Amino acid sequence: MFATLANFANRLLAMPPLYAALWLLLLVATGVLAVMARTEWGRRRPMWRYGALAVVAHLALICLATTVQMLSADRGERGSAPVRVRFVVKATPSQPEPSPVEEATTQTPVVEAVVAAEEPPTPKDEPPSEPVAPQPSEPSDQPPVESTPPKELPAEVTPTEPPSEPAKTMADTSPPELMPLPQPAPVANPTPPQQSNAAWPDTTSFPPPIPYEPLAPTPAEEHPVAEQSIAPSTLPVSITEPPTPYASREIDDRLKMVEDEGGSRATEDAVAAGLAWLASAQSRDGRWDSDQWSGGHETWEMGHNRQGAGGRADTGVTGLALLAFLGAGNGVSQGPYAENVRAGVEFLLASQKADGNLAGNAASYAQTYCHSMATFALAEALATERERNSTSDSTSRLSRGVRMAIGRLVATQNKSGGGWRYRPGDRGDLSQMGWIVMACRSAELADVPPPPAVWTGIERFLRSTRRGPNGAFASYQPREAASRSMTAESLYCRQIVGWPVAGSPGLLDAVDYLLAAPPGQGKANLYYWYYATLALHHLNHTDPAAADAWRRWNGAMKRSLVASQVAHGPLAGSWETNTVWGGYGGRVYTTAMATMCLEVYYRYNADEVTRDPWVAARQSPTYR
């Protein structure tokens, strides 16, 4: 090995300076890529790593194309007698054939070909060769020109001693091995930092991962694929697949799209930092532990004692964390955080009860929230895998888990009012409805559609909570006063279920109502910001009258979130819990919600957003 390296170094020094510089640049670029693949700094910048990998690959190809012959093996045996080849061209057809080969007597180390200008003596025993008759030419208007006999081809040259081994060609030289893509960091088991007013749990004795039985793969017949028959005469030359709802999450130049949609490099850096913190906060069994990260510390909110319900909402905050990772293009089989996503998905599937319930050990106030958030996350993970045409075992297990979770929602819906609340059959509230609508729609995109009766009940409940002239506003429950959080959530739900919102009566009244309390005023409410950000962003594409509203809201939202993100210390990348519902859900809740707000620019494909309804496959048959 050392002899090979020494030989390579000697050849590098013998090269022209330009070629040597190319190889040195390749070595430097490879070293930079290796550093980025092994350091946390590099893992937080996947686009930089991919760019460095592309540079290394192109440099390797350039070096091979320009210098491979210089790095090939020597021709012939060292010390063997050289061969001198003399090619002699006859000046006139009457001259005899020259002697074909003369043995060389010099010690030059290369094969030399000499073209002789002089005429050698003709051997007396060889007759002169016959002249070659000129070939007839095509008729022409020009006067004929006397043709000159062509020169005779030289005789085949046979060297006295052939080289011992053939020279290597481009095809014989193997290209340098490219650096592999960096593997995602293993799921961390962090020790939470100490704070002056909160006693952190002991993390030195976490329980082992929850054992679970792998779910049996879903039979193929449960997901029939509708085949489209196209007559051969109508088949186009090339078929371009329509854009898919999640395509924008994985585009190559995502920063350009972010800037076109109203974001910036600062918002993308904030997303990257938020995901890095969430990855570090994940427990080794795949969950995000709500109580470990300050969940359930808030008991009173909106005038009601919640009894610290958020402290046991592990499946709910795990679902939110997974949605944040999925929103940035990660999945169970793709992305720098694929391992974190797989571990979280496995935790949720292991927590699912036989009746499909994903609430885990959540208290009564949090059970429906936890189930719907976890269902939303599993359904979106399945939908993104199906979008990538994945047929892995994890896709089959996900499909069964989503089917069971949707079955649970079907069983617990209030059949008369159409909503959900804390217990099965409760009269619904709009706060629960938003997560369930997103879970059901994501399941449809994953080819696990809820029954039509579920959507009929959802639309009935949405109508019952609309308030004000033309139903512009919305309330928490029917016959209650309207609020901004519920108005934003209702506006977004109406977009999902397929009601044509753009240009509808009272729309601008609802928009003005939201803009009266933009981010940055009063106590931060990430729940309200999340729904208003999604709704106004999609209205920006479908209703020109809402374009200025999106510009104003988006400017306030991104300024507030980027400025309030923790910048230093062990909590860097997260958001504090001093927000409305922040003490209820904890630091994982606030960080996931803030990150998802900043992912709005590419969370759903812009081509899908321009439709009204933007992501729903249906036009609601009952809208009026």
Side-chain angles (χ1 to χ4, degrees):
M1 175 179 177
F2 292 104
T4 303
L5 292 176
N7 188 27
F8 176 80
N10 291 334
R11 295 180 184 282
L12 193 63
L13 294 175
M15 288 182 186
L18 178 59
Y19 294 163
L22 281 173
W23 279 94
L24 289 174
L25 185 58
L26 175 60
L27 292 175
V28 171
T30 304
V32 171
L33 180 61
V35 170
M36 296 181 71
R38 295 291 183 180
T39 61
E40 183 67 23
W41 178 85
R43 286 195 292 269
R44 292 184 182 182
R45 293 164 173 81
M47 297 305 296
W48 290 24
R49 295 201 309 274
Y50 301 152
L53 179 60
V55 170
V56 169
H58 284 81
L59 282 174
L61 292 175
I62 293 171
C63 290
L64 286 174
T66 56
T67 64
V68 64
Q69 194 64 40
M70 296 185 180
L71 296 178
S72 62
D74 294 332
R75 300 177 185 270
E77 295 182 359
R78 296 186 182 275
S80 62
V83 176
R84 180 183 298 276
V85 180
R86 182 184 297 276
F87 296 95
V88 180
V89 181
K90 296 169 65 71
T92 63
S94 61
Q95 293 171 347
E97 189 74 25
S99 174
V101 178
E102 292 183 2
E103 291 190 2
T105 57
T106 61
Q107 297 297 321
T108 54
V110 296
V111 177
E112 181 179 351
V114 180
V115 178
E118 71 276 4
E119 299 176 7
T122 304
K124 294 181 179 181
D125 55 349
E126 280 192 19
S129 59
E130 292 294 327
V132 180
Q135 299 294 325
S137 59
E138 296 292 332
S140 174
D141 296 334
Q142 301 296 328
V145 179
E146 183 178 355
S147 59
T148 304
K151 296 179 181 180
E152 206 171 78
L153 293 175
E156 183 179 354
V157 178
T158 305
T160 57
E161 292 185 28
S164 60
E165 63 177 341
K168 294 183 180 179
T169 62
M170 179 76 81
D172 299 323
T173 305
S174 300
E177 191 172 306
L178 297 180
M179 292 291 293
L181 289 176
Q183 296 297 319
V187 178
N189 181 21
T191 301
Q194 297 293 330
Q195 291 184 342
S196 58
N197 59 349
W200 295 98
D202 180 15
T203 61
T204 59
S205 59
F206 279 173
I210 297 176
Y212 63 92
E213 292 294 331
L215 298 176
T218 304
E221 58 268 21
E222 292 189 14
H223 299 287
V225 179
E227 297 183 359
Q228 297 181 354
S229 58
I230 303 176
S233 59
T234 62
L235 186 65
V237 176
S238 62
I239 300 176
T240 302
E241 293 186 1
T244 53
Y246 307 108
S248 295
R249 303 180 182 189
E250 301 176 27
I251 60 175
D252 294 332
D253 192 2
R254 196 167 76 183
L255 179 59
K256 182 180 184 303
M257 179 182 182
V258 167
E259 293 172 342
D260 291 344
E261 294 293 317
S264 64
R265 183 177 293 276
T267 64
E268 279 293 87
D269 289 344
V271 169
L275 296 180
W277 183 85
L278 286 172
S280 72
Q282 189 176 19
S283 300
R284 66 181 180 182
D285 64 353
R287 83 178 73 199
W288 276 266
D289 192 325
S290 179
D291 179 64
Q292 178 185 346
W293 298 105
S294 301
H297 288 188
E298 186 174 64
T299 56
W300 286 86
E301 187 62 63
M302 302 293 183
H304 296 280
N305 186 352
R306 308 294 175 175
Q307 301 173 0
R312 290 183 284 161
D314 290 356
T315 59
V317 297
T318 296
L320 293 179
L322 288 175
L323 288 166
F325 284 112
L326 293 166
N330 299 281
V332 297
S333 64
Q334 182 170 322
Y337 292 105
E339 183 63 30
N340 300 86
V341 175
R342 280 196 297 273
V345 165
E346 293 291 357
F347 167 72
L348 291 182
L349 293 177
S351 303
Q352 192 170 36
K353 302 294 192 299
D355 62 353
N357 195 346
L358 287 165
N361 297 321
S364 59
Y365 281 112
Q367 285 183 2
T368 305
Y369 284 110
C370 288
H371 176 77
S372 55
M373 291 173 180
T375 303
F376 182 15
L378 291 180
E380 189 165 296
L382 176 61
T384 55
E385 286 303 295
R386 290 199 183 282
E387 188 171 285
R388 299 185 185 107
N389 297 318
S390 174
T391 57
S392 63
D393 177 65
S394 61
T395 305
S396 299
R397 297 179 61 244
L398 264 172
S399 179
R400 182 178 176 184
V402 172
R403 188 177 300 278
M404 292 170 62
I406 292 296
R408 171 71 179 179
L409 289 176
V410 173
T412 55
Q413 185 180 27
N414 182 285
K415 298 305 183 285
S416 60
W420 289 264
R421 208 173 186 213
Y422 303 130
R423 292 176 298 275
D426 276 356
R427 294 180 62 85
D429 67 62
L430 188 55
S431 178
Q432 308 278 359
M433 180 62 71
W435 300 108
I436 293 172
V437 166
M438 290 185 288
C440 290
R441 180 58 194 143
S442 297
E444 276 192 335
L445 294 174
D447 297 331
V448 187
V454 171
W455 290 109
T456 301
I458 287 173
E459 294 187 44
R460 183 163 60 250
F461 183 82
L462 288 176
R463 288 192 196 89
S464 71
T465 56
R466 297 182 69 175
R467 291 288 173 271
N470 300 310
F473 315 119
S475 60
Y476 176 69
Q477 286 187 297
R479 295 178 296 278
E480 290 187 358
S483 70
R484 288 187 173 85
S485 294
M486 297 300 101
T487 298
E489 188 166 349
S490 175
L491 186 59
Y492 185 57
C493 288
R494 287 153 54 195
Q495 290 173 329
I496 294 179
V497 299
W499 294 359
V501 176
S504 60
L507 172 63
L508 295 183
D509 292 338
V511 170
D512 290 341
Y513 184 46
L514 301 181
L515 287 177
Q521 293 186 9
K523 189 175 184 180
N525 187 343
L526 294 172
Y527 185 95
Y528 163 52
W529 294 4
Y530 171 74
Y531 283 108
T533 297
L534 287 169
L536 293 176
H537 174 253
H538 299 137
L539 280 176
N540 175 52
H541 284 270
T542 57
D543 195 323
D548 183 64
W550 165 246
R551 181 186 60 79
R552 292 165 57 191
W553 177 274
N554 179 59
M557 182 270 296
K558 64 183 183 181
R559 282 194 303 270
S560 297
L561 290 181
V562 171
S564 59
Q565 188 177 30
V566 179
H568 304 288
L571 298 177
S574 67
W575 275 266
E576 299 290 354
T577 61
N578 55 349
T579 67
V580 178
W581 305 112
Y584 184 90
R587 190 172 293 271
V588 177
Y589 162 83
T590 56
T591 302
M593 294 292 284
T595 301
M596 286 193 288
C597 285
L598 295 174
E599 292 171 346
V600 67
Y601 313 110
Y602 46 82
R603 187 165 189 85
Y604 298 104
N605 190 7
D607 291 329
E608 292 285 324
V609 171
T610 56
R611 294 192 296 109
D612 186 23
W614 62 272
V615 73
R618 67 168 64 92
Q619 287 281 354
S620 170
T622 62
Y623 176 73
R624 62 180 184 273

